[in-house]
Amino acid sequence: HFWQSWQGYPVRSVPSIVRDYRLIARHADGTSSTIAEVTGNFQRNRRHRVALEGVTRLRLEILATNGLARAQVYELRVLGDR
């Protein structure tokens, strides 16, 4: 079970999980804005509900992991309203 796998680590989180990050949107008019900023994350999946009208590009800026020297991101999904 995944929920048990963190127990062997001293920081109580899997070292490869991104801890601190920003999600930055680039708008059609050329401006950029931070639409999400997270510190202290320990979850492997995160969801952010944000307005994306006029957004042409997203950038994920990784600031820190929970211990690993490199960031490991496997997927970034953008979903419409359900």
Side-chain angles (χ1 to χ4, degrees):
H1 295 278
F2 182 81
W3 64 271
Q4 294 174 330
S5 64
W6 62 265
Q7 293 178 1
Y9 299 109
V11 294
R12 302 296 242 185
S13 181
V14 177
S16 62
I17 291 177
V18 174
R19 185 185 72 205
D20 305 333
Y21 65 92
R22 288 186 196 111
L23 188 57
I24 301 167
R26 178 85 183 242
H27 304 278
D29 64 2
T31 62
S32 296
S33 64
T34 300
I35 58 175
E37 188 163 359
V38 175
T39 58
N41 178 57
F42 60 91
Q43 299 174 350
R44 63 185 179 122
N45 292 316
R46 293 293 307 248
R47 291 183 185 204
H48 301 285
R49 292 189 183 271
V50 296
L52 295 176
E53 293 86 20
V55 172
T56 59
R57 185 178 297 166
L58 291 174
R59 185 176 81 209
L60 177 63
E61 186 177 272
I62 298 170
L63 306 172
T65 67
N66 279 295
L68 199 62
R70 67 183 187 285
Q72 294 182 191
V73 175
Y74 295 100
E75 186 173 33
L76 179 65
R77 292 184 190 182
V78 177
L79 305 172
D81 291 331
R82 295 184 190 187

